[in-house]
């Protein structure tokens, strides 16, 4: 079996691909082998070895296995390939490719292989998987069809567009720029759902009930199943239709093709086209590389970035590329500055100023088409939404294993029935086989998949109401298992509405008030009015601010600085001083780079003789700017350390003169950013968000580790961490520059420890530089120093986006479940690698406003409630069997209404973010608490459902096995009532709401744990004892018949009545005892539907036991119990309830909650 490895250029969605051909029909597993078996059965039948009854049981067994073999080809792609296809080593000889995606990226798919001719005449292969085309030219390596996204800069700057012939070739290679979603028909979707494993299992159970003479109940259940599936299909079609409506409507754009401007539809754009982009209502049709002109883009639809971004052209206004021509385009590095993503909106543009550039008729910016269709940024988000809709589920593997665990008891019980039943040669083998089959199928209740889906959907709906949108619902249970909560600082924990506190490290402006008073200069924090001219010049020009519709937009920090400066910025990028006749024009920007930790601009200045002088203005991290200064002040480190320790965000300023005889467009970043003169420090303060401290406290008190991962300075980050009580005492990994030795040092430099000798009472802080050292330094047991100390580190400062990813992946590799919360820009990598990534919108309101319901809404709600209560009372008083069926119908309709809410969980563009699976529309980090609350609630709900399922299955297995041989059998009405009660309880449990406060105790992360296994076994032991004791008493009162006729029609008797009452009450006890409630979700009394249904059922069963309403007993085929025995039954039920309650609570106290893993 050959595994073909993928070279991914677009996504990492594919794990492996294998190649196959269809075998002849007779060799398929469902054809030839069964033809032989049927022939063998006919030969066996003609010989008359066994009775006709046994022969037809054999035929039924072969037919069931045959049907399952056929259905498995629909359920499992792996089985289908094994059953019908042969594996081919040479892909060029194959017709089908089996594509296996990476985990949580969809399901295995069979894709048709297509052949094509490459440009050099060679044969090539390709297939399409999840709207992405993969190709192979050499027969060895498949890769996503590459788009022109990694060529040298010269390739783009010298591009002259494509011709019609090139467009034809591009169409065959990449397809059209159309995000086509083909909607399946109702019939196709219904057949798909009707052949799903669980639906087939339900239909099989219905047929068994029919054979066991439960006709009325069976046919009604089958009809409701079909209605339920039809309703789900309609909702699925509606959701898919909404996804289709998210795609763009084509419109006309100006494209430079065939060396002239042409008007072309956006669907006919291909990579290599030159297109004019202008401000318009429609979104950008594809991913574009800006070549000439400027754009201001709103990317909130994709990234959640609320601040519009300025996109710079690859070619400067002077005509030259701003990078070296041989430099390769790297989207990870250049996309933020030069790429206009599909799905975003252009809110301002300017055309090229160079006359040699072909000017578009609409004077738009000129851009190069990079990616089209589903390979764009918008297409990627759309695919995430499309292929995550099918992943609303709990842990499938654990579910399967738990059912297998229960199946062992069912098989043992059915084997007991078969062995004991066959001892009587007169017993009907057909009836015996039917009963054995019913015992096995009783392990899985029909409600199981619905309830597990509802547990997740309920959390989805709750999150949406809180303004939190999720594109990958399968991650919700992970939120209940989180160990580490990681936060970005600026814009996440602290507000990004920064305040400029002042400047320091420079002499005061001449004639300032402070200078007149004789204060020392260069040390005190000066107001901006007293700052020297050089400092103000850097602040007024070294930024990325811009004017859009007469509004100044850009980074909040830069806006805060310009707001207090006596300078203004014009639309032409000219900074003008209000107090002096001076202006500086921004000629060229070297934008902020998170790796370089600085930005700079080249400005022009006119002197008194009208000569043009060019200056370089720069700002950045103090430790970075320090290495670029010609002269470093003596108190440089002391000053920025002092204000960083006070929680200020300190930025170093510098400038230098380039002279007048300079070609600005040819000046590279390396040439500009050197030999600076120090221009001072500017100090900003960023207050904490209102709910940050409360959210961090809640997370810490609920057994979570909180850490901060920021690009800010370590001293500022440590101060904020101490404010939030993320850490009390911190040590920073520091390098001795003279000896190159590393050691741990406190922020105020009062305490030092050698590496490995640091005390455990201290938390650790690691800088980006220190992290690089820790990754390389080796440790005897952990491999690297970083792996050893990563769980003790509370603050990561001055780290790059790539280093943020390393932090998350290292924690995950050590078995930690992580949540990462950031603003969705520099944190994208970390957000994607985290188990639970939460992107928040920086400038959004911190808290959602609760709008009270109007009087009309309240009145309508109360009226509807009254009508439902009246109908409920009317139905409850009815003794008509038909009315009971209608009651069941209404119960199932309630489930349908609950599932119809799935349509509200569909995430729409603008709500979702390509940054992370979760997107909060509010900037408060409290959203992390809300997600964890819902995650824990989902986990606990799933766990208690499985406990209840296990106990009910064991009780039913006993009732249907040992007691079946004694003639115990339920009537049609009894089965209907029991099914209704259980369905209602499961439904009400799934609707439990989490508590507002997170608890210190943690839920178990999986089903198989000591508490769950022990409580199930001990509770069943109590139930078993109760059943055996009371059944024995029944035999004493009403002696057992010597021979039981299993084929006789149902007739009420004492044993049947007692076992039915016990069965219902024991299962009700199971729901009540195993409902967890506090500290994760509302208590039993707060979950009013479950509480009321439990009380109502208990009263009903007590009335049946005491015979209060003889007509009710007759309707449900129950006999009157002897007076003394009634009290014995009730006494046994009370003792059973108390015993199981005590067993569960004792085990819950001893091993009921999980423990937070230690970080030492």
């Amino acid at each position: 079996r050959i595994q073909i490895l993928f070279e991914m250029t677009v996504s990492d969605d594919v794990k492996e691909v294998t190649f196959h051909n269809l075998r002849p029909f007779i060799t398929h597993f469902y054809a030839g082998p069964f033809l032989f078996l049927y022939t063998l059965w006919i030969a066996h039948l003609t010989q008359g070895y066994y009775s006709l009854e046994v022969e037809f049981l054999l035929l039924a067994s072969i037919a069931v296995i045959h049907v399952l073999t056929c259905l498995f080809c629909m359920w499992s792609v792996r089985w289908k390939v094994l059953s019908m296809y042969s594996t081919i080593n040479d892909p060029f000889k194959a017709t089908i490719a089996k594509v296996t995606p990476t985990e949580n990226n969809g399901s295995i798919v069979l894709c048709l292989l297509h052949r094509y001719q490459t440009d050099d005449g060679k044969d090539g292969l390709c297939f399409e998987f999840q709207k992405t085309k993969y190709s192979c030219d050499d027969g060895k390596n498949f890769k996503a069809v590459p788009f022109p996204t990694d060529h040298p800069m010269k390739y783009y700057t010298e591009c002259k567009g494509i011709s019609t012939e090139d467009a034809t070739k591009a169409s065959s290679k990449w397809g059209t720029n159309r995000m086509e979603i083909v909607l399946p028909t109702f019939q196709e979707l219904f057949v798909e759902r009707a052949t799903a494993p669980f639906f087939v299992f339900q239909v099989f159970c219905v047929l068994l009930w029919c054979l066991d003479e439960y006709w009325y109940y069976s046919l009604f259940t089958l009809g409701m199943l079909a209605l339920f599936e039809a309703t789900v299909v309609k909702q699925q079609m509606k959701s898919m239709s909404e996804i289709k409506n998210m795609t763009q409507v084509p419109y006309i754009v100006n494209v430079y093709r065939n060396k002239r401007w042409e008007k072309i539809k956006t669907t006919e754009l291909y990579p290599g086209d030159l297109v004019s982009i202008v401000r318009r209502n429609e979104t950008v049709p594809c991913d574009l590389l800006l070549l000439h002109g400027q754009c201001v883009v709103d990317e909130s639809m994709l990234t959640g970035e609320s601040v519009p971004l300025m996109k710079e052209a690859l070619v400067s206004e002077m005509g030259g590329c701003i990078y070296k021509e041989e430099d390769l385009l790297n989207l990870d590095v250049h996309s933020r500055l030069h790429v206009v993503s599909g799905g975003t909106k252009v809110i301002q543009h300017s055309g090229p100023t160079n006359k040699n550039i072909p000017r578009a008729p609409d004077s738009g910016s000129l851009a190069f088409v990079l990616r089209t269709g589903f390979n764009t940024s918008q297409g990627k988000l759309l695919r995430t939404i499309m292929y995550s809709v099918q992943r609303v589920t709990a842990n499938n593997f654990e579910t399967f294993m738990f059912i297998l665990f229960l199946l062992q008891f069912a098989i043992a019980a059915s084997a007991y029935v078969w062995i004991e039943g066959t001892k009587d040669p007169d017993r009907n083998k057909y009836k015996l086989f039917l009963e054995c089959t019913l015992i096995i199928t009783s392990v899985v209740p029909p409600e199981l998949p619905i309830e597990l889906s509802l547990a997740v959907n309920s959390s989805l709906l709750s999150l949406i109401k809180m303004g939190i949108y999720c594109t990958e619902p399968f991650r919700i249970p992970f939120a209940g298992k989180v160990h580490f909560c990681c936060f970005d600082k600026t814009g996440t924990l602290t507000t990004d509405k920064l305040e400029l506190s002042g400047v320091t490290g420079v002499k005061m402006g001449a004639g300032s008030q402070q200078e007149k008073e004789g204060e020392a200069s260069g040390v005190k924090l000066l107001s901006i009015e007293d700052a020297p001219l050089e400092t103000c010049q850097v602040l007024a020009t070294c930024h990325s601010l811009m004017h859009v519709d007469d509004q100044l937009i850009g980074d909040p920090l830069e806006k805060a600085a310009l707001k207090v400066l006596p300078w203004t910025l014009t639309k032409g990028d000219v900074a003008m001083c209000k107090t002096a006749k001076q202006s500086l024009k921004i000629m060229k920007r070297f934008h902020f780079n998170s790796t370089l930790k600085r930005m700079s601009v080249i400005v022009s200045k006119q002197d008194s003789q009208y000569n043009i002088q060019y200056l370089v203005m720069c700002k950045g991290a103090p430790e970075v700017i320090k290495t670029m200064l010609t002269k470093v002040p003596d108190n440089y480190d002391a000053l920025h350390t002092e204000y960083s320790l006070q929680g200020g965000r300190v930025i170093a300023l510098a400038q230098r003169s380039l002279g007048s005889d300079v070609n600005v467009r040819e000046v590279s970043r390396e040439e500009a950013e050197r030999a600076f003169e120090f221009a001072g420090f500017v100090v900003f303060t960023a207050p904490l968000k209102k709910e940050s401290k409360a959210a961090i406290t809640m997370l810490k008190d609920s057994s979570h580790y909180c850490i901060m991962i920021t690009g800010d300075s370590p001293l500022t980050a440590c101060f904020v961490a101490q404010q939030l009580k993320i850490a009390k005492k911190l040590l920073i990994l520091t390098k001795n520059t003279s000896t190159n030795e590393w050691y741990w040092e406190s922020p105020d430099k009062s305490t030092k420890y050698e590496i490995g000798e640091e005390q455990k009472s201290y938390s650790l802080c690691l800088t980006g530089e220190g992290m690089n050292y820790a990754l390389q330094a080796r440790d005897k047991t952990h491999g690297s120093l970083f792996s050893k100390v990563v769980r003790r580190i509370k603050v990561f400062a001055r780290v790059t986006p790539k280093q943020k990813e390393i932090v998350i992946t290292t924690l995950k590799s050590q078995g930690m479940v992580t949540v990462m919360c950031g603003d969705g820009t520099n944190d994208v990598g970390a957000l994607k690698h985290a188990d639970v990534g939460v992107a928040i919108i920086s400038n959004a309101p911190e808290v959602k406003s609760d709008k009270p319901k109007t009087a009309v809404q309240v009145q309508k709600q109360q009226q509807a409630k009254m009508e439902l209560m009246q109908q409920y009372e009317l139905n409850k008083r009815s003794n008509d069997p038909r009315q009971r069926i209608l009651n069941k119908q209404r119960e199932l309709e309630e489930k349908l209404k609950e599932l119809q809410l799935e349509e509200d969980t569909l995430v729409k563009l603008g709500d979702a973010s390509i940054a992370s699976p979760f997107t909060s529309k509010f900037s408060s980090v409290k959203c992390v608490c809300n997600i964890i609350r819902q995650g824990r609630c989902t986990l606990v709900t799933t766990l208690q459902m499985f406990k209840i399922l296990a106990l009910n299955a064991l009780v039913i297995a006993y009732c249907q096995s040992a007691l079946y041989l004694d003639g115990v059998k339920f009537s049609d009405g009894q089965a209907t009532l029991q099914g209704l009660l259980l369905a209602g309880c499961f439904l009400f449990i799934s609707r439990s709401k989490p508590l507002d406060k997170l608890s210190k105790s943690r839920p178990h992360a999986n089903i198989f744990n000591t508490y769950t296994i022990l409580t199930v076994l001990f509770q069943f032991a109590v139930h078993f004892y109760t059943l055996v004791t009371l059944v024995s008493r029944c035999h004493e009162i009403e002696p057992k018949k010597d021979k039981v006729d299993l084929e006789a029609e149902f007739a009420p008797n004492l044993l049947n009545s007692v076992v039915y009452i016990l069965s219902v009450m024991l299962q009700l006890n199971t729901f009540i005892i195993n409902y967890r409630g506090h500290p994760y979700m509302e208590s039993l009394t707060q979950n009013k539907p479950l509480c009321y249904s439990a009380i109502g059922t208990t009263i009903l069963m007590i009335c049946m036991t005491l015979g209060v309403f003889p007509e009710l007993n007759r309707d449900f085929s129950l006999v009157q119990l002897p007076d003394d025995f009634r009290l014995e039954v009730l006494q046994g039920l009370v003792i059973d309830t108390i015993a199981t309650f005590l067993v569960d609570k004792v085990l819950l106290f001893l091993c009921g909650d999980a423990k937070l893993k230690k970080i030492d």
Side-chain angles (χ1 to χ4, degrees), residues 619-739:
K619 67 179 180 181
E623 64 271 20
V624 173
I625 300 299
K626 181 181 180 180
T627 62
M628 300 178 174
L629 299 178
T630 54
K631 182 181 178 182
V632 180
D634 295 336
N635 60 349
Y636 185 94
D637 291 328
L639 273 178
H640 77 77
T641 300
E642 177 185 351
Y643 289 103
S644 294
L645 283 171
Q646 297 173 17
R649 184 173 181 181
V650 183
I651 296 175
L653 309 176
Q655 66 166 263
R656 65 176 285 234
S657 173
L658 288 177
S660 56
D661 188 17
V662 176
N663 187 348
V664 175
R665 71 180 183 183
E666 294 181 356
V667 177
S668 67
R669 186 163 195 161
E670 291 75 16
E671 294 172 351
E673 295 178 343
R674 60 183 180 84
F676 284 117
E677 294 180 6
F678 182 56
F681 295 114
V682 60
V683 181
F684 293 89
T685 55
L688 294 174
K689 289 183 178 177
K690 292 179 181 178
E691 296 189 344
S692 293
K693 198 166 187 177
I696 295 297
T697 302
M698 182 183 290
L699 290 171
K700 289 187 66 181
D701 291 345
S702 56
S703 301
H704 295 96
Y705 298 118
C706 295
I707 64 175
M708 184 190 300
I709 310 177
T710 179
D712 213 337
S713 74
L715 297 178
T716 304
C718 288
F719 178 81
V720 174
Q722 289 171 331
Q723 266 190 310
L724 292 170
K725 297 184 179 178
I726 290 177
K728 293 181 180 179
K729 297 189 295 181
L730 282 157
L731 296 174
I732 304 172
L733 188 61
T734 309
K735 181 181 179 182
N736 188 324
T737 53
S738 59
T739 62

Side-chain angles (χ1 to χ4, degrees), residues 1037-1050:
I1037 298 171
E1038 194 175 86
K1040 183 178 178 181
K1041 295 179 182 179
D1042 295 334
K1043 187 173 182 180
V1044 179
D1045 184 6
L1046 299 179
E1047 296 185 50
E1049 289 188 7
F1050 174 82

